Amino acid sequence: MTAVVITRRGPALWARIDRPGAGNACSSAVMDGLDEWLAAAADPGVRALVLTGTGRSFCAGADLTEATALLGDLPALRSFLDRGRKLVRAVLAAGVPTIAAVNGAAFGGGLELLLACDIAVAADTARIGDRHIAVGQVPGWGSSVLLPHAVGPALARRLLIAGETWTGEEAARRGLVSEVVPSADLDRHVDALAERIATLDAAAVRRMLRVARPVIAADAWDREWNTLTEHVAALATEPE
């Protein structure tokens, strides 16, 4: 069974993370599927990329089962985590607009994938938060870098440090998502948004992405990554 179901819906290429029993956690298999989804955007008929999840979760974050199993092999763990970081940055650099259809819980790496998308639309069932701190972790795929651009520094610090969870309505009010729609209408609403984008001049849309996307300094990415690698190295050497 594939971990990511890729479907063409009109001008949009949808990727649906399909691990509902694991909260659609981002495993190596999921990253394989999302790499395939991004690569398929080279088709000139694809005018938007849409990311969503199966069931009650959008994405619960990095697969902690896989990550924990790698604690005894620090280079392999760093490689797994770095792959997720590169995936988020690849979504940020996609050649067509990206839309997060946030159907449910988006935590940790799921929030980071949401933040990497150009537009996020949430279902009224969505629950969104960084929540790394709630499981004794720190971000490494972009939360600390991207959240201040989305909600401002004060709310970003609150979400990161307090480990809060916001409803879809709260996320919309604070600018984390653009709007909230009834869960039953989410896919249809996002289809219509992708169709609208597809009516626009493709070259102008590509150039608009250059000016609309946040500009992130390299040292901000490096600070987050260095903090994460220091943290996981400490966890790997803690006595049992």
Side-chain angles (χ1 to χ4, degrees):
M1 180 181 293
T2 182
V4 177
V5 178
I6 299 173
T7 308
R8 182 72 176 268
R9 294 169 63 121
L13 190 67
W14 284 63
R16 188 178 299 274
I17 303 174
D18 193 27
R19 301 183 68 217
N24 295 326
C26 201
S27 62
S28 293
V30 168
M31 289 189 267
D32 286 342
L34 294 181
D35 284 342
E36 179 184 341
W37 167 66
L38 289 168
D43 181 338
V46 173
R47 299 293 307 277
L49 291 168
V50 179
L51 179 61
T52 193
T54 297
R56 300 175 62 182
S57 292
F58 173 74
C59 175
D63 189 326
L64 293 181
T65 299
E66 184 171 352
T68 300
L70 295 172
L71 277 174
D73 185 348
L74 206 51
L77 177 57
R78 286 199 190 101
S79 179
F80 170 74
L81 295 171
D82 190 42
R83 190 173 176 201
R85 180 174 73 137
K86 289 174 178 173
L87 171 63
V88 167
R89 295 181 74 168
V91 174
L92 275 166
V96 297
T98 51
I99 305 169
V102 188
N103 57 297
F107 300 138
L111 171 65
E112 288 161 319
L113 286 168
L114 180 163
L115 288 165
C117 291
D118 298 306
I119 302 170
V121 180
D124 54 8
T125 52
R127 297 293 181 270
I128 303 170
D130 180 77
R131 295 191 59 77
H132 281 99
I133 199 71
V135 292
Q137 296 294 332
V138 295
W141 295 1
S143 280
S144 72
V145 176
L146 298 171
L147 263 175
H149 288 271
V151 299
L155 282 174
R157 285 193 296 269
R158 175 170 160 178
L159 202 58
L160 288 164
I161 295 168
E164 290 182 347
T165 297
W166 294 347
T167 64
E169 292 288 352
E170 288 170 327
R173 189 167 64 249
R174 292 160 174 162
L176 187 54
V177 301
S178 64
E179 59 192 316
V180 179
V181 300
S183 178
D185 297 338
L186 179 64
D187 287 8
R188 184 166 56 251
H189 187 89
V190 171
D191 277 335
L193 179 57
E195 292 279 358
R196 174 175 174 75
I197 290 169
T199 67
L200 305 173
D201 181 81
V205 169
R206 285 194 301 272
R207 293 187 178 102
M208 184 62 78
L209 294 177
R210 295 183 198 169
V211 297
R213 287 172 171 166
V215 177
I216 309 295
D219 61 350
W221 289 107
D222 291 345
R223 179 184 65 175
E224 184 185 81
W225 178 247
N226 291 338
T227 302
L228 174 64
T229 56
E230 175 188 334
H231 187 70
V232 298
L235 290 176
T237 57
E238 283 180 357
E240 294 184 3

